Amino acid sequence: MVPFLRPSDVPKVETSGDTYAAGVASLYRQAFEYACSLRQQGDALVAMGHCHMTGGEVSVESERRIVIGNIEALSANLFNPELAYVALGHLHLAQKVGGHEHIRYSGSPLPLSFSEINYPHQVLRVDIVGEKLVSIQPIPVPRAIELLRIPAKPMPLILVEGILAQLSLPQVAESRWPYLTVRVLLEAPEPNLRARIEVALQGKPVRLAKIEITTPSSNVPDVSPDLSLDALNALTPEDIFQQIYRQKYASELPETLQLAFAELLAHTEMQA
């Protein structure tokens, strides 16, 4: 069994390639050789590791990068072919590594973020006879509490309110109410967003966990010009506010917001 290895944990290996990957490979090789020295006739070798393998599919919302720059991604060649089974941890999606049946992430037994709603949560039963792997059987893990994302894609608030008002859910104990993410497309700021959503959900057996806001700029690459230091110094707070609004909502700042910002700025300057 090998825990997650930080760069400072692995031996230094002279190589023209990735020194971290080479160091991890060296340590795993040493661990394998030690296991072989303890091995009795007919024993199977089973390895366990906490690592991120090359090509593994990640959960963007709940898996933190364990090494900056993704240099932790390792090759399946790390594991000696004599290993009967390799059980890996870190990635939450159940998956094989490099197409190998005997090298797997079993995945998390429950969703750890809303991005994992459709993951096949499971444990794996691995049957080994003698030194050989015989079979691998996924055993689904029942989901005690559901996660919902409504609607499937972000929509304008008026449409989302209608969908939520018509939402029909089974009556269950409050401890089993599903968690809900509401996805809203906003063309402009909406100060009463949460209140309007809560009104639409009133009386429904659901827990509002998150409001996911999308704006017109969400899927548009940032094409803001590079400004010199002099140009930045010349910008007023009003200029910056207008530019941020324009970038986020792809429209001009409404006069009502201009007046509200000017009032707030004046109040702040008076208190300074």
Side-chain angles (χ1 to χ4, degrees):
M1 296 183 289
V2 180
F4 169 68
L5 300 171
R6 298 163 298 180
S8 59
D9 297 325
V10 301
K12 294 183 179 180
V13 177
E14 294 296 329
T15 176
S16 58
D18 187 335
T19 56
Y20 173 73
V24 172
S26 174
L27 195 147
Y28 267 85
R29 184 167 55 252
Q30 294 175 40
F32 174 78
E33 291 170 354
Y34 179 69
C36 286
S37 72
L38 303 176
R39 186 180 187 183
Q40 301 296 316
Q41 182 68 32
D43 285 349
L45 288 178
V46 175
M48 299 170 64
H50 180 174
C51 46
H52 181 180
M53 306 306 295
T54 300
E57 186 173 341
V58 304
S59 169
V60 295
E61 291 181 6
S62 57
E63 287 164 8
R64 66 183 179 92
R65 283 282 178 86
I66 47 183
V67 174
I68 295 173
N70 203 35
I71 63 171
E72 80 276 11
L74 304 167
S75 167
N77 295 331
L78 185 70
F79 303 110
N80 191 289
E82 288 189 43
L83 292 168
Y85 186 74
V86 180
L88 298 176
H90 179 59
L91 300 187
H92 297 174
L93 175 65
Q95 55 192 292
K96 303 173 189 176
V97 174
H100 298 285
E101 287 288 333
H102 71 297
I103 306 176
R104 298 198 185 201
Y105 292 96
S106 62
S108 63
L110 74 167
L112 298 174
S113 77
F114 284 87
S115 66
E116 300 177 11
I117 288 177
N118 296 319
Y119 280 14
H121 298 284
Q122 62 180 25
V123 294
L124 292 175
R125 169 180 162 171
V126 179
D127 292 320
I128 295 174
V129 176
E131 301 178 7
K132 301 296 182 181
L133 174 67
V134 175
S135 66
I136 301 173
Q137 178 185 352
I139 302 175
V141 176
R143 189 172 297 177
I145 299 176
E146 288 295 330
L147 300 183
L148 306 175
R149 291 173 102 177
I150 298 176
K153 294 182 178 180
M155 292 184 178
L157 179 56
I158 189 66
L159 298 179
V160 172
E161 288 177 301
I163 293 171
L164 295 178
Q166 298 176 20
L167 184 63
S168 178
L169 296 170
Q171 294 295 330
V172 295
E174 186 173 353
S175 62
R176 295 193 59 193
W177 285 7
Y179 291 102
L180 171 66
T181 284
V182 177
R183 313 176 86 182
V184 182
L185 174 64
L186 289 183
E187 301 287 344
E190 175 47 66
N192 297 319
L193 176 62
R194 186 175 186 90
R196 290 175 62 175
I197 289 174
E198 288 177 343
V199 168
L201 291 172
Q202 193 169 4
K204 299 186 183 298
V206 67
R207 289 176 275 198
L208 178 61
K210 179 181 179 182
I211 300 174
E212 185 179 293
I213 299 172
T214 301
T215 62
S217 67
S218 299
N219 298 316
V220 177
D222 186 5
V223 293
S224 303
D226 293 329
L227 298 177
S228 66
L229 184 59
D230 289 340
L232 287 173
N233 288 332
L235 291 175
T236 66
E238 291 88 345
D239 294 332
I240 296 171
F241 185 47
Q242 288 177 354
Q243 287 193 24
I244 291 174
Y245 187 94
R246 193 179 300 119
Q247 290 173 8
K248 189 169 185 178
Y249 296 106
S251 62
E252 295 301 319
L253 182 67
E255 184 178 359
T256 52
L257 280 183
Q258 291 185 41
L259 295 174
F261 183 79
E263 182 180 345
L264 178 63
L265 185 62
H267 177 74
T268 302
E269 291 173 345
M270 289 177 61
Q271 298 298 318

